[in-house]
Amino acid sequence: MISHDGLAQEDYKLWLQYSKIQDSKLASQYQSEINGIFALGNSETIQVASKELQLGLSGLLGNKITVQQNSDSENILIFGSKSSLNTDILSSLQNEFEQINNEGYLIKTISLKNKNHILIAGKTDVGVLYGVYHFLRLLQTNSSIENLNIVDSPKINVRILNHWDNLNRTVERGYAGFSLWNWQKLPDFIDQRYIDYARANASIGINGTVLNNVNANALILTPQYLEKVEALAKTFRPYGIKVYLTARFSAPIEIGRLKTADPYDTAVQNWWKEKAAAIYKRIPDFGGFLVKANSEGQPGPQNYGRNHVDGANMLADAVAPFGGIVMWRAFVYSEHDVDDRAKQAYSEFVPYDGKFRNNVIVQVKNGAIDFQPREPFHPMFGAMSKTPLMMEFQITQEYLGFSTHLVYLPKLYQEVLESDTYQKGKGSTVAKVIDGSLENHKITGMAGVANIGNDINWTGHPFAQANWYGFGRLAWNPYLDSEVIADEWLRTTFSNDLNFVNPVKEMMLKSREAVVNYMTPLGLHHIMDTGHHYGPGPWVSNLSRPEWNPVYYHKADKKGIGFDRSKTGSNATAQYATELAKLFDDVKTCPEKDLLWFHHLSWDYKLKNGQTLWNGLALKYQEGVDEVAAMQATWNKMGNYVDETRFKEVQMLLNIQLKEAQWWRDACLLYFQQFSGKELPKGVEKPTQSLEYFESLKFPFAPGNN
């Protein structure tokens, strides 16, 4: 990858460092097993694979790799798609090819004319490319490449990044600089960054990108912009990445000069059909549309007395002739609906089950509120048996301290994916819902709201790169363990030295729980300051819509704290399967991590550890702060294993995180103490400022709030 300056080289290269292998015995073993590479075929994708192998192997092994014209000599790395293999090889691999889908691959040690070789093959060239990245990862993580027999395929079809990028290059909830897409210079100037972006995504199996914000601007659909989108699509194509766009529902009015955007209006239907045809003429493999409609002020079918099915199906019909899909977001809640916000998406969408076209997939956030540090899984998962649902995770840390806090999110993703919906009995996990296996859905997807900007290190925090990486790995296989992913990422990004890998991996795995503790312990949620969501704001109560105010969610008063969603409260528990509703309803069986999500409890309520709720809450806040201090102590010992630039960056960021964790603890406990009327328990540090001080703070510099 290119370098913007010498010092930042490592930062920019992400997990594709390809640093020289330090273990000389292992390096010479690898060298003896790879005498050269031989490409079968010459497509753009195979050329990309060949280039990546040359770059990776020369970096890892410290010498130039020869590109062979044949496989006559021993130990050649042969790569190509099924159609390019000779009949001898093909006949011996029939069984393996039956096990993979169109994006899958096999990496095998084979014998050809009594000579040993390594073969990387797939049904398609993109499958081969994915196999090449897997093979390079084996070397990067110092794994054995003897007697290889790897057969792998993605378990989810649409593995996509949602960029909340505006056309003026600001990024909503973006904490890593401006948008990558330089619309002014496109289509004629293709920044090396676009290519490196595609490489990074292909290396973890991401196969789609939505270029523009869900709060969309109709201009993206004009010929002037489509020409630029076409240039990006062409750049990404060899890497197996399809381009998608967010469609603004009112585009027929704003750029089409129609008087309405009513999905029942024939002129509107025809406008979208013509628009789709024009896009596909430019970009034959265009993926389709993402839509945010009738949510937070965005236009949608309800503006015309129609419903989500009407809107989604109209767009689906427009892209269907070209093989496109529509991802229709379920993130809806209305200021006119007085019901618990956590219930609204379920109430609105579940009655439509089975009514969407078969090229519509409903995109559902992992929890029912909004990307909180912890939420129980969204009750829609498993509740719509006739409709494919795709997962929407947030990679950018809107409610998790932005890119100044080290939070390893695959831990959060795994918690959600492993959650059991019980919708078809025990074992009906969220992962089985979204990979289609629970209801045998043909179209499956996982979206991640990207944390990528034009910062030299892409994500604003060196460790935030792990969240992009981990998202891709879990979209490929939602059953992977977040610990395995952390191990891979540390080895490919920093070092294989176990004195580094083991303690830093432990730090990563604990980091998400630390954030929950110092922000929203025991099921608290959405108590961030208003608008920018930077820092604590449990006191905010003056916003025009009740469900925008933190006081709506914690309901702290003299009697206690928490949102009663049990059958005695909003009855949100009834949206879950009977087994879970029963579990959540009963305060004795409700998991303590979700306690205040489902129950309003007295300050004197006894927790399982014997502490009162007030003491337990205060001690959790302190525990979060202590965990950040422990992360600092761990990192401070790692200077010998990491380049100085990244070591210092992380050190400075952890300093910020510790300060902000203390701020969260102090501000929240002072605020809640007004209601509990109780002293802080022993072991909790006393705040150094007053509540009035914390309430007076303003943050005009908070990023990402466009």
Side-chain angles (χ1 to χ4, degrees):
M1 284 189 171
I2 60 162
S3 165
H4 286 246
D5 66 53
L7 287 173
Q9 180 76 4
E10 288 86 353
D11 248 4
Y12 181 82
K13 285 201 256 183
L14 298 162
W15 47 88
L16 301 174
Q17 298 285 326
Y18 301 142
S19 308
K20 193 172 181 206
I21 290 160
Q22 296 303 302
D23 182 333
S24 53
K25 190 180 165 199
L26 186 64
S28 59
Q29 198 181 323
Y30 285 159
Q31 276 169 338
S32 68
E33 290 174 32
I34 311 166
N35 279 336
I37 62 171
F38 174 45
L40 301 170
N42 194 33
S43 71
E44 277 190 276
T45 301
I46 292 296
Q47 286 176 42
V48 160
S50 180
K51 206 171 159 187
E52 198 71 38
L53 276 170
Q54 290 171 65
L55 179 73
L57 292 173
S58 60
L60 288 157
L61 304 178
N63 57 11
K64 202 168 183 301
I65 285 296
T66 52
V67 180
Q68 309 283 341
Q69 299 311 308
N70 55 51
S71 57
D72 292 348
S73 49
E74 185 97 24
N75 290 324
I76 301 299
L77 176 57
I78 305 167
F79 56 102
S81 65
K82 186 181 177 184
S83 59
S84 65
L85 300 178
N86 69 34
T87 46
D88 291 354
I89 303 178
L90 257 182
S91 57
S92 67
L93 297 173
Q94 214 50 46
N95 186 29
E96 284 88 342
F97 274 115
E98 279 168 21
Q99 292 173 51
I100 63 170
N101 60 29
N102 275 348
E103 293 180 293
Y105 54 83
L106 29 131
I107 307 174
K108 281 185 75 82
T109 304
I110 59 165
S111 181
L112 207 58
K113 298 178 186 165
N114 295 325
K115 291 189 176 79
N116 277 342
H117 299 293
I118 293 169
L119 173 72
I120 302 174
K123 286 182 177 170
T124 61
D125 290 348
V126 167
V128 177
L129 181 62
Y130 291 147
V132 161
Y133 280 116
H134 184 138
F135 180 76
L136 286 168
R137 187 161 60 237
L138 293 175
L139 272 60
Q140 285 179 286
T141 54
N142 291 2
S143 307
S144 169
I145 57 167
E146 286 180 61
N147 303 317
L148 289 165
N149 186 20
I150 295 165
V151 181
D152 196 15
S153 279
K155 296 191 186 320
I156 289 173
N157 316 133
V158 179
R159 307 177 299 281
I160 193 167
L161 290 179
N162 288 181
H163 285 269
W164 285 1
D165 294 21
N166 299 314
L167 299 186
N168 65 1
R169 296 194 74 184
T170 58
V171 181
E172 187 166 340
R173 310 308 178 188
Y175 312 112
F178 289 100
S179 171
L180 292 183
W181 326 129
N182 190 332
W183 298 110
Q184 188 238 326
K185 286 186 177 178
L186 282 162
D188 301 310
F189 185 85
I190 301 300
D191 194 318
Q192 176 65 32
R193 270 226 151 174
Y194 304 154
I195 295 157
D196 291 335
Y197 167 85
R199 288 177 56 227
N201 281 325
S203 74
I204 49 177
I206 288 171
N207 67 359
T209 181
V210 184
L211 298 174
N212 60 321
N213 194 354
V214 287
N215 296 323
N217 183 331
L219 287 177
I220 195 77
L221 300 175
T222 59
Q224 194 178 19
Y225 274 93
L226 288 175
E227 182 188 24
K228 299 167 188 290
V229 172
E230 181 185 0
L232 288 174
K234 188 177 179 222
T235 306
F236 298 158
R237 191 168 290 122
Y239 297 87
I241 296 166
K242 282 185 181 182
V243 160
Y244 297 73
L245 293 174
T246 302
R248 184 160 167 84
F249 202 80
S250 50
I253 302 170
E254 289 162 21
I255 59 169
R257 297 184 181 167
L258 298 185
K259 290 197 166 51
T260 180
D262 182 351
Y264 277 30
D265 187 289
T266 314
V268 172
Q269 293 167 5
N270 288 336
W271 187 89
W272 282 109
K273 282 175 180 167
E274 284 163 21
K275 182 55 66 183
I279 295 172
Y280 280 97
K281 194 172 179 191
R282 287 180 179 277
I283 309 165
D285 56 352
F286 177 68
F289 294 128
L290 170 66
V291 188
K292 175 179 180 176
N294 293 121
S295 171
E296 300 185 320
Q298 290 301 303
Q302 291 172 357
N303 298 29
Y304 307 95
R306 314 302 181 193
N307 61 36
H308 290 291
V309 173
D310 301 328
N313 287 353
M314 173 193 68
L315 289 171
D317 289 344
V319 296
F322 311 98
I325 65 166
V326 169
M327 299 168 284
W328 192 270
R329 289 175 92 237
F331 181 62
V332 294
Y333 60 96
S334 164
E335 70 266 43
H336 309 300
D337 188 339
V338 294
D339 209 350
D340 175 2
R341 174 172 155 185
K343 293 172 65 179
Q344 291 186 33
Y346 179 103
S347 304
E348 202 161 322
F349 274 85
V350 172
Y352 299 137
D353 190 24
K355 295 181 178 168
F356 292 97
R357 297 280 192 267
N358 62 11
N359 60 328
V360 172
I361 186 164
V362 175
Q363 184 167 309
V364 183
K365 289 188 178 184
N366 59 275
I369 295 293
D370 191 9
F371 298 137
Q372 295 302 295
R374 170 167 282 127
E375 298 185 48
F377 74 88
H378 204 304
M380 280 176 68
F381 289 112
M384 294 180 73
S385 59
K386 301 186 194 77
T387 308
L389 301 186
M390 76 188 282
M391 173 64 74
E392 181 180 327
F393 282 129
Q394 195 180 53
I395 310 171
T396 194
Q397 293 165 214
E398 177 184 352
Y399 296 97
L400 287 131
F402 303 1
S403 60
T404 38
H405 291 219
L406 192 165
V407 192
Y408 179 58
L409 294 181
K411 196 81 178 144
L412 183 161
Y413 306 155
Q414 185 180 1
E415 178 178 292
V416 175
L417 293 165
E418 286 179 349
S419 295
D420 199 337
T421 71
Y422 285 91
Q423 290 289 2
K424 290 187 89 174
K426 194 167 168 38
S428 308
T429 60
V430 172
K432 287 182 185 170
V433 174
I434 63 159
D435 76 0
S437 61
L438 195 66
E439 302 289 355
N440 200 23
H441 288 305
K442 297 289 175 280
I443 172 174
T444 58
M446 193 192 286
V449 180
N451 63 341
I452 301 158
N454 69 350
D455 277 8
I456 286 168
N457 72 4
W458 300 84
T459 58
H461 192 310
F463 274 78
Q465 296 177 355
N467 298 334
W468 174 11
Y469 179 89
F471 168 79
R473 299 289 287 126
L474 282 163
W476 181 277
N477 178 2
Y479 304 94
L480 278 177
D481 191 297
S482 55
E483 182 172 354
V484 171
I485 296 168
D487 191 87
E488 280 177 8
W489 180 78
L490 284 169
R491 289 168 181 272
T492 54
T493 306
F494 289 109
S495 166
N496 276 281
D497 193 316
L498 291 180
N499 295 315
F500 170 82
V501 173
N502 290 340
V504 179
K505 181 168 60 179
E506 189 186 353
M507 174 180 104
M508 288 170 74
L509 293 171
K510 287 179 174 173
S511 63
R512 185 280 184 116
E513 203 60 45
V515 178
V516 172
N517 288 339
Y518 66 70
M519 285 190 184
T520 51
L522 300 176
L524 284 175
H525 51 287
H526 222 312
I527 60 172
M528 291 72 193
D529 201 357
T530 181
H532 47 64
H533 301 147
Y534 175 61
W539 46 79
V540 175
S541 61
N542 60 352
L543 300 176
S544 60
R545 289 170 60 162
E547 77 286 356
W548 283 353
N549 292 288
V551 294
Y552 171 95
Y553 296 99
H554 63 68
K555 302 203 182 312
D557 55 23
K558 293 272 186 270
K559 291 181 188 163
I561 185 172
F563 197 124
D564 185 0
R565 292 192 169 97
S566 73
K567 54 178 183 278
T568 61
S570 76
N571 202 23
T573 49
Q575 293 185 337
Y576 290 94
T578 316
E579 295 90 331
L580 288 178
K582 202 174 152 194
L583 184 86
F584 294 147
D585 265 330
D586 186 345
V587 72
K588 293 185 188 70
T589 56
C590 181
E592 278 194 345
K593 65 183 173 63
D594 301 318
L595 200 56
L596 303 179
W597 182 282
F598 289 114
H599 297 277
H600 188 277
L601 296 168
S602 138
W603 296 109
D604 292 318
Y605 174 81
K606 278 280 188 330
L607 296 171
K608 290 189 176 78
N609 63 6
Q611 294 282 1
T612 63
L613 177 58
W614 167 251
N615 283 359
L617 195 66
L619 288 162
K620 277 285 180 199
Y621 272 107
Q622 182 64 47
E623 190 184 333
V625 172
D626 294 345
E627 284 163 333
V628 180
M631 284 158 66
Q632 271 190 317
T634 298
W635 187 254
N636 286 340
K637 294 177 190 148
M638 296 301 140
N640 293 338
Y641 307 102
V642 184
D643 57 283
E644 196 183 353
T645 307
R646 288 186 294 176
F647 178 68
K648 282 187 171 163
E649 280 172 4
V650 175
Q651 222 173 19
M652 289 187 285
L653 289 161
L654 282 169
N655 281 336
I656 295 173
Q657 187 171 0
L658 182 62
K659 270 193 210 165
E660 296 193 347
Q662 291 163 336
W663 166 34
W664 266 94
R665 176 199 62 202
D666 294 352
C668 291
L669 290 178
L670 281 170
Y671 174 77
F672 293 134
Q673 195 173 28
Q674 302 175 108
F675 303 102
S676 79
K678 296 173 187 298
E679 290 299 311
L680 291 173
K682 191 166 177 273
V684 178
E685 291 167 28
K686 302 280 182 283
T688 54
Q689 301 282 357
S690 67
L691 178 60
E692 291 68 33
Y693 166 79
F694 290 120
E695 288 184 2
S696 73
L697 297 175
K698 295 281 179 282
F699 305 101
F701 47 78
N705 188 31
N706 312 114

